[in-house]
Amino acid sequence: MHPSRIGAYPVEREVGRGGMGVVYRARDPRLDRPIAIKVLPDEFARDPERLARFEREARLLAALVHPNIAAIHGLEEADGHRFLVLEFVEGETLAQRLASGPLSVAETLDVGRQIAAALEAAHEAGIVHRDLKPGNVILTPAGDAKVLDFGLARGAEPAGADSDPSAQQSPTLTFAATGAGVILGTAAYMSPEQARGRRVDRRTDIWSFGALLYECLTAKQAFPGETVSDSIARILQTEPDPAPLPSDLPPRLRALLARCLEKDAKRRLRDIGDARIELEEMMGIAPASSRLGHDSSAIRATGASAVRVDAPAGGRLRRSLVLAAVALTGALMAWFAGALLRPDDSAREPLRYTIKAPAGWTIPGDACMLALSPDGRTLAFVAADSLGVSNLWLRPLDSFAATLLPGTEGALLPFWAPDGKAVAFFALGKLRRATIGGGNPEAICDAPNPRGGSWGTKGVIVFAPTSGGPLHRVDATGGASQPVTVVDTTANETAHRFPCFLPDGERFLYVTLPAREGRFDAWIGSTRNPARDGTPVLRASGAPIYAPSGHVLFAVNAKLMAQAFDAGSGRVRGEPFVVGDPPAPTSYSGAHPGSVSRNGILAWTSGPSGSNRLAYLTFDGRMDPVPGIPERSWSGLAVSPDGRYVTVDESHAGTSDLWLIDLARSLATRLTTGTEIAESGAFLPDSRSFLFGLNREGLRQFYRRRVDGAGGDSLVFRSPVPFKNVVDVTPDGTEFLFQQVSGDSGWDIYASRFDSSQPRPVVVTRHHENGANLSPDGRWLAWLSDESGVGEVYVGAYPGVGGKLQVSRGALTPPLWSVDGRTIWFVQGMARMLMAARFDPATGEVATPREVRPVPPGILAAAVLPDDRFLVIHSPQRASGEISIAVDWLGGAQPAAPSAGRNRAR
């Protein structure tokens, strides 16, 4: 039963008990606000050491004024009781939150950086908390983290001074009125030096912080134990179990955990401020030092360059000059912003400039990875870090700085809401929506393998959830999606992609696949009627985008083009004309060439080049280019069983040619030359013949050829299905496997004998199955499927694939077998981690995959060589792509006749 009143404060309820007192929720009648009252127990009040410690807590807390530390309002005494009057923090403790499961990586970064900021403020005031744990952190409904209970805190001691290991100085064990051996701190979060009763400084909080971060990610203690002795033994002798950590944990966060939980304090992270900076950079938050007022001794400019100007005491003149320079810079930026956002109609020469990637990040060449807000004020774009993990960034065009949008790991293909208050994107198998200035992004619906989307003025999003099949529609607030177009199989169509709404909010432009003579047909669809009539609007190298000026913009033969367009009738008028510099090559078939705003601003990408290299990748991450082989726009890859020959295909101008590479002699020979698409397939067991695909008469047919060219090409297989490709040949050479788009079921896996034209289904479901790969003995098949909503690797017996086992937890690539057939390789998670799953060919059992190392960015295709090295196609990314901006894009455009198109991609 709690008291009804403590001093002048009515008590509402008890909210907690600890070694240093009982905490009640009460009310301050003078200010009419909730408060927390922490009362020292009577038996402790008789202990001078306890009483001194309690009063020290009051002084320490009064010295800490920080948004992530619960504030102290006063130290009072009434009726013989001493108590603290504290800020009452609404919410649940971090311990209570973790009882329902771990936090996401994004949530952990956010909570962690707030706790680190609180500890940083305490450490700068000479205060060590010494009892940091989830129970001493409150998460408020507004998303703030507040650190509580500095009851064990004390001022930092002089360097080199050892603490008294007695109960009076160590939080490990202490004396109380009820007897010895009462735990004052929490053993599971103690640093090794703290557990040993040695000197305690700010590094002990860093250890506890690391243990807390681990628990946020796993909902498990880093050093659990049934007893205090068990926990202390683990702290002193063992390392945290890495198995419960998320498979997609960024390596940078993993490294920070290791630095914080280093047992040797001399090797541990030295400053909690460094942890805060690391976490903020992982979130994409600008350094706190760039915000005016954080550091009174410096003013730093954000953007491409940063300058620190010290302001020593008495340096008023220098400070005034600096402030004047900042004011002048701001005025110039405001004027420049006005020029950007309010183009002068009388000036017909467009203003053009480029935007580079944030430091340490790479902008992909795909123009479909950027989107201008409708008002032209903000650019959303995708950029990837050094490990290839993509995030969504926002760049106001009146600013030199871009900001990472939290919670957007894995982001692809962004597009804006018509009011500019939210941006949609795809990530981790979902269509997602992020409110600008709001909380974490929310999932709208499933989109396992997306190909573009558009948000209409009537609250409907039209998008391509997969690489094949029709477009879908979904309410922008969420729900199940429904098909909104019908794939015309009689015309050999396989997919509809990259929609763009017209002004009425019901009709939209989109393209159909496959390409015909290097170009895609663009049509008009409707959210009201899935049927379509008439003829295509135009043919181009990708999907057109609608410009409010009354034009459509599209790419043709590596040129950015525009043509007058009547949105009412859906017809183009006049002649097309060149708009801007050549757009960068795209890796998405049918992708649109850029983004345009209502006020005449156009954005597209330029560079890097589409040249890739063939290279050997070793397990230590070394990339060695194959000598003598030129860099070209290589894509598909197949290796002969003896490891000597490789077939690759080179894409260019909407077509692709097949090449044969002799690794032993470092020779590359072109095998096809023409306007049709040729694709690598698979080698036969003798390594002297191979299968490949070639588009002829609108269909992809399979041919067989010897490596020496003798006998020419022989037709192996043809069917009315236009979209298919060879993936493997059985070790006995009697069958080959291929994948094809089968009606509404998407990609499926089939097999056919060389002496038969009747294929048999191997893995056929209503989901997408591809990337099939036979084990070296031919008894097992591994493949990639999106049946769970995201890509996963499965394995089953061959030739009769009945049951299957799931191998991965979120695979990004198709599986590869080791030469002995006892390991399945694949890439998993946002960190692009190379995973190895041990496999027993006798029983079909699969072990839990283990992490090998992050895969270097830019790997486009891979195969395993007989020596168990990887042969890869690698995009060197010598320079990040740049985003080109044209203000008043229509000014200065020159008429030009379009020429032959280009496109070939995934």
Side-chain angles (χ1 to χ4, degrees), residues 371-380 416-420 595-599 601:
L372 277 168
S373 61
D375 62 7
R377 293 181 177 272
T378 306
L379 176 72
W416 286 84
D419 62 5
S595 180
V596 64
S597 67
R598 289 193 297 261
N599 60 344
I601 299 177

Side-chain angles (χ1 to χ4, degrees), residues 348-386:
R348 301 307 294 162
E349 283 298 322
L351 171 64
R352 301 194 176 189
Y353 62 98
T354 59
I355 292 175
K356 298 183 183 297
W361 294 73
T362 300
I363 294 175
D366 295 285
C368 52
M369 295 298 182
L370 60 84
L372 277 168
S373 61
D375 62 7
R377 293 181 177 272
T378 306
L379 176 72
F381 65 92
V382 171
D385 63 15
S386 60

Side-chain angles (χ1 to χ4, degrees), residues 191-270:
S191 64
E193 62 271 21
Q194 191 177 16
R196 288 188 172 106
R198 294 179 179 172
R199 177 183 180 271
V200 172
D201 59 22
R202 63 179 61 185
R203 291 172 295 182
T204 198
D205 283 349
I206 294 175
W207 170 280
S208 301
F209 177 74
L212 185 146
L213 275 187
Y214 177 94
E215 192 163 342
C216 286
L217 292 163
T218 64
K220 301 177 183 295
Q221 288 184 343
F223 302 98
E226 294 183 4
T227 67
V228 172
S229 298
D230 292 336
S231 290
I232 291 177
R234 284 180 175 270
I235 289 169
L236 297 177
Q237 300 172 11
T238 68
E239 301 295 334
D241 181 7
L245 289 169
S247 60
D248 58 354
L249 186 67
R252 192 172 179 181
L253 182 53
R254 189 183 297 271
L256 178 62
L257 277 173
R259 290 287 310 281
C260 291
L261 293 175
E262 171 61 54
K263 295 187 188 300
D264 184 352
K266 295 180 180 179
R267 298 176 59 85
R268 195 176 303 152
L269 189 72
R270 302 290 294 181

Side-chain angles (χ1 to χ4, degrees), residues 456-523:
T457 55
K458 297 188 177 181
V460 172
I461 291 175
V462 171
F463 69 106
T466 61
S467 59
L471 296 173
H472 280 226
R473 61 168 288 167
V474 67
D475 192 280
T477 59
S481 69
Q482 300 294 331
V484 73
T485 60
V486 177
V487 173
D488 186 357
T489 56
T490 63
N492 295 327
E493 288 180 9
T494 59
H496 296 168
R497 295 183 175 181
F498 293 98
C500 176
F501 266 107
L502 295 176
D504 60 16
E506 293 181 357
R507 295 176 304 140
F508 50 87
L509 296 162
Y510 68 99
V511 291
T512 60
L513 267 65
R516 304 176 192 278
E517 298 179 349
R519 297 194 193 178
F520 298 89
D521 288 341
W523 298 81

Side-chain angles (χ1 to χ4, degrees), residues 528-565:
R528 290 180 175 270
N529 184 5
R532 69 172 186 239
D533 299 317
T535 59
V537 175
L538 54 82
R539 285 187 174 180
S541 299
I545 55 174
Y546 174 76
S549 59
H551 295 81
V552 283
L553 293 101
F554 50 91
V556 173
N557 195 27
K559 291 185 177 69
L560 187 57
M561 312 287 293
Q563 190 169 4
F565 176 75

